[in-house]
Amino acid sequence: MFNSSTEVVPAPRVVPRHVAIIMDGNGRWARARFLPRVAGHRRGLEAVRETVKGCVERGVEFLTLFAFSSENWRRPADEVSVLQQLFRLALEQEVSKLHETGIRLRVIGDLAPFGETIAALVRKAEALTAGNSRLTLSIAANYGGRWDLMQAINRMTREPHPDATDYSEQDLARYLAMSYAPEPDLFVRTGGEQRISNFLLWQLAYTELYFTPTLWPDFGLGALDEAIASYRSRERRFGRTSDQILAAAGAAPQERHADGQAAAEDPQEAAVSRRRQA
């Protein structure tokens, strides 16, 4: 299990280790082109493929995509049906490609409402890709941050505990749906809305938030690079002062990219310097 950012300050990183994305705007993309909403969802799947590839190429280790929230059941029945069909087709057609490129697939959320066919496909996909480590791709399906917290609390309190009246962060964290991944460094929401919509409520405590008007089907490698550039410009203090960050950056070893080349500039030191020059 990874450390919590409220307990241990993460090391500065030039490239975010974990990127989480709310893929918003498929319907509006289709409507602007006088197409049915399903066309936007299908085009959105192409954006998923491109984003996965881009994250691998840039050295991102974890990518989490919000595909279907626990509140999305409120949408029209025909659209929900189409989304379930696309989910099933993606599991049938995309998993082998992910496996060939060394990507591990995880699905988080309550899968029971999707039925046994999809649940079985998820189990098969997770088992097939379990040994891969190039990128961990997590799909949040019928997921909600409050659901995650409640299921974690329920599981934790059902198991024996030496002092059932004094639970800690670590006690709860191990039961969360994403206990296998570090907290996101960068959160991206496309489509212009500026809220987190019940997504990873626990995990986003110290995540850098990035909102873009770009609709998800139009989100390509350039848009991904803009989001990462915004992340690099942030001063991630985690409760500390700018002077503490600058001092720590001067003493910390320089991060290196996957190819062994030294990073051009420490992101924390650069952010502090920009603030002082402003």
Side-chain angles (χ1 to χ4, degrees):
M1 190 171 69
F2 292 90
N3 291 321
S4 166
S5 59
T6 60
E7 297 181 336
V8 178
V9 175
R13 302 182 65 86
V14 175
V15 175
R17 187 179 192 184
H18 184 177
V19 176
I21 303 178
I22 292 182
M23 306 175 291
D24 198 9
N26 291 344
R28 282 171 285 162
W29 182 92
R31 185 169 62 248
R33 291 159 178 77
F34 303 100
L35 297 171
R37 289 178 64 87
V38 64
H41 294 309
R42 289 190 175 122
R43 178 62 185 84
L45 184 57
E46 296 179 25
V48 168
R49 295 189 189 102
E50 188 168 8
T51 300
V52 169
K53 179 182 177 183
C55 284
V56 169
E57 292 172 344
R58 286 152 181 76
V60 174
E61 298 176 25
F62 295 84
L63 172 63
T64 301
L65 303 177
F66 204 5
F68 190 89
S69 78
S70 50
E71 290 75 48
N72 283 154
W73 294 103
R74 301 169 181 168
R75 293 190 176 189
D78 56 345
E79 182 173 352
V80 170
S81 177
V82 166
L83 289 170
Q84 291 187 77
Q85 291 174 28
L86 289 174
F87 187 25
R88 178 177 56 81
L89 287 173
L91 288 167
E92 291 173 341
Q93 299 176 5
E94 302 292 330
V95 172
S96 60
K97 301 173 187 175
L98 295 175
H99 183 51
E100 289 171 1
T101 52
I103 296 172
R104 183 179 189 182
L105 178 67
R106 300 291 297 262
V107 179
I108 60 172
D110 180 7
L111 296 181
F114 290 124
E116 179 55 28
T117 298
I118 286 180
L121 287 169
V122 168
R123 290 193 296 269
K124 181 180 178 182
E126 290 185 331
L128 175 65
T129 63
N132 298 338
S133 59
R134 195 174 185 189
L135 172 78
T136 297
L137 171 63
S138 299
I139 303 297
N142 194 29
Y143 173 88
R146 292 182 178 180
W147 165 86
D148 194 6
L149 287 167
M150 289 308 304
Q151 67 83 26
I153 291 169
N154 288 333
R155 290 172 57 206
M156 180 181 68
T157 54
R158 281 198 298 264
E159 294 189 3
H161 190 275
D163 187 353
T165 62
D166 189 20
Y167 293 105
S168 68
E169 264 195 46
Q170 291 184 344
D171 291 329
L172 179 62
R174 59 192 288 255
Y175 293 99
L176 293 170
M178 294 205 70
S179 60
Y180 59 87
E183 296 170 4
D185 301 292
L186 172 63
F187 162 91
V188 177
R189 180 170 186 150
T190 64
E193 303 291 352
Q194 298 188 17
R195 55 179 177 268
I196 60 175
S197 297
N198 198 22
F199 184 41
L200 300 178
L201 297 181
W202 177 280
Q203 295 86 348
L204 293 178
Y206 269 103
T207 300
E208 301 301 323
L209 308 181
Y210 177 80
F211 301 98
T212 173
T214 302
L215 302 177
W216 176 247
D218 291 327
F219 191 87
L221 298 183
L224 176 62
D225 286 336
E226 289 177 6
I228 293 176
S230 176
Y231 162 83
R232 287 177 176 168
S233 73
R234 310 289 179 90
E235 181 186 348
R236 307 194 74 196
R237 293 194 297 272
F238 297 100
R240 301 168 297 170
T241 67
S242 296
D243 287 339
Q244 287 176 298
I245 294 171
L246 193 57
Q254 192 172 22
E255 182 178 348
R256 293 182 177 272
H257 296 301
D259 61 4
Q261 295 296 313
E265 186 177 34
D266 183 276
Q268 300 288 17
E269 187 174 356
V272 174
S273 297
R274 281 190 290 271
R275 283 167 60 91
R276 289 184 166 179
Q277 293 168 6

